[in-house]
């Protein structure tokens, strides 16, 4: 279909311009050469009429091949980026190690402060720790540690601190500092944010998983075979650990 328009800027001679394709006409509209009141005609029409009276004036232009290709690529990328990426065994283990390093440092400081007050004999604790390092399988070491003055109180307080660490961080931010370092977080099976109730429930369930250490850590090892990389406590609490979404900005210019 061939299009023509009347160029009112021409004062002498034939003011009819064309033939043009509809895409060229639209380009003229964008450039301001053709306005709403500009007379336009195309083959098949009997009379000239204003551009605004043509259906093509309000129709969206057909995308070019380049635009279609770009839209397809962006759709595929957005689909891939929005897909859940489950955190595997090793990234979770590394995050857990970081969390325990943080807790160990805080615990050591707390233990040192208690020793300054005379509540705990730090030399006796150091000796028990040395014996534990030499023989970590000995059941007598734990009993000997609990018999030290103030240690049972310390372990009770420290258990509460550890519980608060995991519960609070998961309930408020969905991730502990260790998980944040590796850009992973905990969420419900449906993708919802972890509530306080489920954060507490998940921590209690994690104690069950820890108990499977005597069975070669099966509660943790199932992460290696589960499609959603869930540990035993994730199954119990109906949670999963996923990678944080990737933020990607696309260039909209052609």
């Amino acid at each position: 279909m061939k299009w023509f328009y009347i160029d009112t800027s021409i004062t002498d001679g034939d003011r009819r311009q064309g033939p043009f394709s509809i895409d060229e006409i639209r380009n003229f509209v964008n450039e301001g050469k053709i306005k709403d009141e500009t007379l336009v005609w195309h083959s098949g029409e009997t009379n000239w009429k204003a551009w605004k009276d043509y259906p093509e004036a309000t129709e969206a232009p057909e995308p070019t091949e380049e635009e279609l290709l770009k839209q397809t690529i962006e759709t595929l990328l957005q689909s891939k980026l929005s897909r859940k990426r489950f955190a595997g065994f090793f990234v979770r283990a590394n995050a857990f190690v970081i969390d325990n390093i943080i807790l160990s440092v805080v615990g050591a400081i707390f233990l040192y402060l208690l020793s300054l007050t005379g509540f705990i004999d730090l030399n006796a604790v150091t000796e028990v720790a040395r014996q534990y390092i030499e023989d970590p399988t000995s059941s007598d070491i734990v009993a000997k540690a609990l018999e030290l003055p103030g240690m049972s109180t310390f372990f009770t307080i420290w258990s509460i601190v550890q519980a608060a660490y995991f519960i609070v961080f998961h309930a408020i931010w969905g991730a502990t500092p260790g998980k944040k370092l590796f850009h992973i977080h905990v969420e419900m099976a449906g993708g919802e944010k972890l509530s306080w109730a489920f954060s507490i429930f998940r921590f209690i369930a994690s104690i069950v998983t820890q108990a499977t250490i005597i069975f070669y850590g099966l509660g943790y090892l199932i992460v290696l075979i589960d499609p959603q990389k869930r540990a035993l406590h994730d199954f119990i609490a109906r949670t999963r650990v996923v990678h944080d979404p990737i933020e990607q900005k696309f260039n909209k210019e052609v």
Side-chain angles (χ1 to χ4, degrees):
M1 186 182 296
K2 301 301 181 181
W3 290 75
F4 299 82
Y5 77 94
I6 300 299
D7 188 348
T8 56
S9 66
I10 299 176
T11 58
D12 186 20
D14 189 2
R15 296 190 297 173
R16 185 180 64 174
Q17 302 295 312
F20 300 108
S21 67
I22 183 59
D23 290 332
E24 290 175 308
I25 291 294
R26 287 195 172 103
N27 287 336
F28 293 149
V29 172
N30 293 333
E31 294 170 3
K33 292 181 179 180
I34 296 179
K35 303 184 180 348
D36 287 345
E37 300 301 330
T38 300
L39 292 177
V40 178
W41 178 88
H42 67 72
S43 52
E45 288 287 335
T46 55
N47 297 308
W48 293 75
K49 57 184 179 182
W51 166 247
K52 67 179 182 179
D53 295 330
Y54 281 96
E56 288 83 357
T58 55
E59 290 177 356
E62 290 291 328
T64 64
E65 290 186 4
E66 184 179 357
E67 290 173 333
L68 285 172
L69 178 61
K70 184 177 180 180
Q71 291 172 6
T72 301
I73 293 173
E74 289 182 359
T75 301
L76 291 173
L77 286 175
Q78 288 286 13
S79 175
K80 184 175 182 179
L81 294 177
S82 62
R83 191 180 304 137
K84 293 291 183 183
R85 298 179 302 127
F86 303 108
F89 177 83
F90 294 104
V91 67
R92 291 181 62 169
N94 288 332
F96 187 70
V97 168
I98 296 298
D99 287 326
N100 278 277
I101 289 174
I102 293 172
L103 286 168
S104 297
V105 170
V106 175
I109 294 172
F110 182 48
L111 193 63
Y112 177 73
L113 292 175
L114 289 177
S115 70
L116 292 179
T117 63
F119 187 77
I120 288 177
D121 185 351
L122 190 58
N123 291 328
V125 173
T126 303
E127 177 59 25
V128 170
R130 185 189 62 78
Q131 294 177 17
Y132 175 77
I133 293 173
E134 291 178 352
D135 185 11
T137 61
S138 174
S139 58
D140 296 334
I141 301 298
V142 176
K144 186 180 294 186
L146 290 174
E147 291 174 358
L148 295 175
M151 284 303 292
S152 60
T153 303
F154 169 77
F155 282 130
T156 300
I157 296 174
W158 191 236
S159 297
I160 296 173
V161 170
Q162 285 183 306
Y165 178 91
F166 288 102
I167 291 171
V168 171
F169 275 113
H170 283 142
I172 297 179
W173 293 285
T176 58
K179 288 185 176 68
K180 281 186 172 295
L181 182 63
F182 290 95
H183 304 290
I184 60 177
H185 66 275
V186 182
E187 63 182 26
M188 299 302 299
E192 305 89 351
K193 182 181 181 298
L194 209 62
S195 66
W196 280 94
F198 271 95
S199 182
I200 295 171
F201 182 42
R202 187 177 188 273
F203 176 76
I204 295 172
S206 70
I207 298 174
V208 177
T209 304
Q210 292 175 32
T212 65
I213 291 294
I214 60 175
F215 301 108
Y216 306 101
L218 291 178
Y220 294 105
L221 292 179
I222 57 176
V223 172
L224 296 171
I225 59 174
D226 178 60
Q228 295 189 18
K229 314 297 184 184
R230 291 168 294 183
L232 178 60
H233 51 282
D234 291 313
F235 279 99
I236 297 173
R238 301 198 302 277
T239 59
R240 59 190 183 182
V241 182
V242 299
H243 288 274
D244 296 341
I246 300 174
E247 293 185 2
Q248 177 71 46
K249 294 182 180 179
F250 296 101
N251 182 10
K252 297 301 181 183
E253 298 179 359
V254 178

